[in-house]
PDB file of all heavy atoms in Angstrom:
ATOM      1  N   SER A 219      11.860 -15.673   3.257  1.00  0.00           N
ATOM      2  CA  SER A 219      12.971 -16.276   4.045  1.00  0.00           C
ATOM      3  C   SER A 219      14.015 -15.013   4.109  1.00  0.00           C
ATOM      4  O   SER A 219      13.644 -13.848   3.950  1.00  0.00           O
ATOM      5  CB  SER A 219      13.791 -17.357   3.135  1.00  0.00           C
ATOM      6  OG  SER A 219      14.276 -16.700   1.971  1.00  0.00           O
ATOM      7  N   ASP A 220      15.253 -15.256   4.646  1.00  0.00           N
ATOM      8  CA  ASP A 220      16.262 -14.127   4.664  1.00  0.00           C
ATOM      9  C   ASP A 220      16.532 -13.607   3.335  1.00  0.00           C
ATOM     10  O   ASP A 220      17.084 -12.505   3.202  1.00  0.00           O
ATOM     11  CB  ASP A 220      17.393 -14.509   5.481  1.00  0.00           C
ATOM     12  CG  ASP A 220      17.987 -15.862   4.970  1.00  0.00           C
ATOM     13  OD1 ASP A 220      17.637 -16.375   4.018  1.00  0.00           O
ATOM     14  OD2 ASP A 220      19.104 -16.232   5.482  1.00  0.00           O
ATOM     15  N   LYS A 221      16.213 -14.301   2.323  1.00  0.00           N
ATOM     16  CA  LYS A 221      16.325 -13.756   0.852  1.00  0.00           C
ATOM     17  C   LYS A 221      15.212 -12.910   0.374  1.00  0.00           C
ATOM     18  O   LYS A 221      15.085 -12.468  -0.654  1.00  0.00           O
ATOM     19  CB  LYS A 221      16.660 -14.824  -0.061  1.00  0.00           C
ATOM     20  CG  LYS A 221      18.020 -15.424   0.044  1.00  0.00           C
ATOM     21  CD  LYS A 221      18.349 -16.330  -1.081  1.00  0.00           C
ATOM     22  CE  LYS A 221      19.585 -17.220  -0.915  1.00  0.00           C
ATOM     23  NZ  LYS A 221      19.315 -18.301   0.064  1.00  0.00           N
ATOM     24  N   GLY A 222      14.158 -12.899   1.247  1.00  0.00           N
ATOM     25  CA  GLY A 222      12.962 -12.036   0.901  1.00  0.00           C
ATOM     26  C   GLY A 222      11.723 -13.048   0.529  1.00  0.00           C
ATOM     27  O   GLY A 222      11.541 -14.116   0.973  1.00  0.00           O
ATOM     28  N   GLU A 223      10.951 -12.524  -0.422  1.00  0.00           N
ATOM     29  CA  GLU A 223       9.645 -13.065  -0.724  1.00  0.00           C
ATOM     30  C   GLU A 223       9.832 -14.485  -1.274  1.00  0.00           C
ATOM     31  O   GLU A 223      10.674 -14.806  -2.111  1.00  0.00           O
ATOM     32  CB  GLU A 223       9.059 -12.199  -1.796  1.00  0.00           C
ATOM     33  CG  GLU A 223       7.735 -12.884  -2.435  1.00  0.00           C
ATOM     34  CD  GLU A 223       7.109 -12.012  -3.602  1.00  0.00           C
ATOM     35  OE1 GLU A 223       7.885 -11.134  -4.063  1.00  0.00           O
ATOM     36  OE2 GLU A 223       6.062 -12.311  -4.075  1.00  0.00           O
ATOM     37  N   LYS A 224       8.941 -15.390  -0.798  1.00  0.00           N
ATOM     38  CA  LYS A 224       8.883 -16.764  -1.394  1.00  0.00           C
ATOM     39  C   LYS A 224       7.734 -16.954  -2.129  1.00  0.00           C
ATOM     40  O   LYS A 224       7.629 -17.307  -3.282  1.00  0.00           O
ATOM     41  CB  LYS A 224       8.993 -17.901  -0.336  1.00  0.00           C
ATOM     42  CG  LYS A 224      10.501 -18.022   0.154  1.00  0.00           C
ATOM     43  CD  LYS A 224      10.567 -18.905   1.263  1.00  0.00           C
ATOM     44  CE  LYS A 224      10.750 -20.353   0.936  1.00  0.00           C
ATOM     45  NZ  LYS A 224      10.869 -21.301   2.125  1.00  0.00           N
ATOM     46  N   ARG A 225       6.443 -16.767  -1.547  1.00  0.00           N
ATOM     47  CA  ARG A 225       5.232 -16.803  -2.260  1.00  0.00           C
ATOM     48  C   ARG A 225       4.086 -16.114  -1.521  1.00  0.00           C
ATOM     49  O   ARG A 225       4.196 -15.885  -0.344  1.00  0.00           O
ATOM     50  CB  ARG A 225       4.783 -18.431  -2.376  1.00  0.00           C
ATOM     51  CG  ARG A 225       4.605 -18.996  -1.070  1.00  0.00           C
ATOM     52  CD  ARG A 225       4.202 -20.468  -1.260  1.00  0.00           C
ATOM     53  NE  ARG A 225       3.852 -21.122   0.085  1.00  0.00           N
ATOM     54  CZ  ARG A 225       2.692 -21.304   0.420  1.00  0.00           C
ATOM     55  NH1 ARG A 225       1.610 -21.104  -0.251  1.00  0.00           N
ATOM     56  NH2 ARG A 225       2.452 -21.808   1.733  1.00  0.00           N
ATOM     57  N   HIS A 226       3.116 -15.780  -2.295  1.00  0.00           N
ATOM     58  CA  HIS A 226       1.862 -15.243  -1.649  1.00  0.00           C
ATOM     59  C   HIS A 226       1.011 -16.328  -0.990  1.00  0.00           C
ATOM     60  O   HIS A 226       0.978 -17.369  -1.368  1.00  0.00           O
ATOM     61  CB  HIS A 226       1.043 -14.565  -2.677  1.00  0.00           C
ATOM     62  CG  HIS A 226       1.624 -13.309  -3.256  1.00  0.00           C
ATOM     63  ND1 HIS A 226       1.095 -12.474  -4.262  1.00  0.00           N
ATOM     64  CD2 HIS A 226       2.824 -12.715  -3.076  1.00  0.00           C
ATOM     65  CE1 HIS A 226       1.768 -11.425  -4.461  1.00  0.00           C
ATOM     66  NE2 HIS A 226       2.955 -11.590  -3.783  1.00  0.00           N
ATOM     67  N   MET A 227       0.408 -15.985   0.135  1.00  0.00           N
ATOM     68  CA  MET A 227      -0.524 -16.757   0.899  1.00  0.00           C
ATOM     69  C   MET A 227      -1.804 -16.158   1.177  1.00  0.00           C
ATOM     70  O   MET A 227      -1.882 -15.001   1.047  1.00  0.00           O
ATOM     71  CB  MET A 227       0.186 -17.220   2.206  1.00  0.00           C
ATOM     72  CG  MET A 227       1.640 -17.770   2.094  1.00  0.00           C
ATOM     73  SD  MET A 227       2.323 -17.756   3.772  1.00  0.00           S
ATOM     74  CE  MET A 227       1.510 -19.184   4.422  1.00  0.00           C
ATOM     75  N   GLU A 228      -2.616 -16.947   1.780  1.00  0.00           N
ATOM     76  CA  GLU A 228      -3.918 -16.308   2.296  1.00  0.00           C
ATOM     77  C   GLU A 228      -3.440 -15.555   3.559  1.00  0.00           C
ATOM     78  O   GLU A 228      -2.610 -15.841   4.310  1.00  0.00           O
ATOM     79  CB  GLU A 228      -4.947 -17.392   2.641  1.00  0.00           C
ATOM     80  CG  GLU A 228      -5.433 -18.096   1.358  1.00  0.00           C
ATOM     81  CD  GLU A 228      -6.403 -19.227   1.709  1.00  0.00           C
ATOM     82  OE1 GLU A 228      -6.998 -19.313   2.660  1.00  0.00           O
ATOM     83  OE2 GLU A 228      -6.518 -20.077   0.713  1.00  0.00           O
ATOM     84  N   LEU A 229      -4.320 -14.544   3.778  1.00  0.00           N
ATOM     85  CA  LEU A 229      -4.065 -13.523   4.890  1.00  0.00           C
ATOM     86  C   LEU A 229      -3.932 -14.251   6.264  1.00  0.00           C
ATOM     87  O   LEU A 229      -2.906 -14.076   6.971  1.00  0.00           O
ATOM     88  CB  LEU A 229      -5.138 -12.484   4.967  1.00  0.00           C
ATOM     89  CG  LEU A 229      -5.080 -11.385   3.851  1.00  0.00           C
ATOM     90  CD1 LEU A 229      -6.409 -10.525   3.949  1.00  0.00           C
ATOM     91  CD2 LEU A 229      -3.792 -10.552   3.885  1.00  0.00           C
ATOM     92  N   GLU A 230      -4.853 -15.051   6.573  1.00  0.00           N
ATOM     93  CA  GLU A 230      -4.884 -15.691   7.911  1.00  0.00           C
ATOM     94  C   GLU A 230      -3.856 -16.818   8.007  1.00  0.00           C
ATOM     95  O   GLU A 230      -3.424 -17.132   9.178  1.00  0.00           O
ATOM     96  CB  GLU A 230      -6.194 -16.334   8.134  1.00  0.00           C
ATOM     97  CG  GLU A 230      -7.397 -15.358   8.156  1.00  0.00           C
ATOM     98  CD  GLU A 230      -7.478 -14.512   9.456  1.00  0.00           C
ATOM     99  OE1 GLU A 230      -6.655 -14.575  10.307  1.00  0.00           O
ATOM    100  OE2 GLU A 230      -8.526 -13.807   9.560  1.00  0.00           O
ATOM    101  N   GLU A 231      -3.232 -17.270   7.011  1.00  0.00           N
ATOM    102  CA  GLU A 231      -2.112 -18.248   7.068  1.00  0.00           C
ATOM    103  C   GLU A 231      -0.848 -17.613   7.323  1.00  0.00           C
ATOM    104  O   GLU A 231       0.173 -18.395   7.656  1.00  0.00           O
ATOM    105  CB  GLU A 231      -2.041 -18.983   5.741  1.00  0.00           C
ATOM    106  CG  GLU A 231      -3.121 -19.938   5.624  1.00  0.00           C
ATOM    107  CD  GLU A 231      -2.892 -20.820   4.212  1.00  0.00           C
ATOM    108  OE1 GLU A 231      -2.080 -20.414   3.425  1.00  0.00           O
ATOM    109  OE2 GLU A 231      -3.682 -21.726   3.971  1.00  0.00           O
ATOM    110  N   SER A 232      -0.671 -16.311   7.083  1.00  0.00           N
ATOM    111  CA  SER A 232       0.731 -15.749   7.129  1.00  0.00           C
ATOM    112  C   SER A 232       0.864 -14.913   8.370  1.00  0.00           C
ATOM    113  O   SER A 232      -0.188 -14.637   9.066  1.00  0.00           O
ATOM    114  CB  SER A 232       0.892 -14.939   5.849  1.00  0.00           C
ATOM    115  OG  SER A 232       0.736 -13.583   6.174  1.00  0.00           O
TER     116      SER A 232
END
Side-chain angles (χ1 to χ4, degrees):
S219 69
D220 53 1
K221 289 194 191 68
E223 173 185 12
K224 280 173 86 178
R225 65 182 181 102
H226 288 185
M227 304 166 79
E228 293 180 16
L229 287 172
E230 298 283 8
E231 283 181 354
S232 105

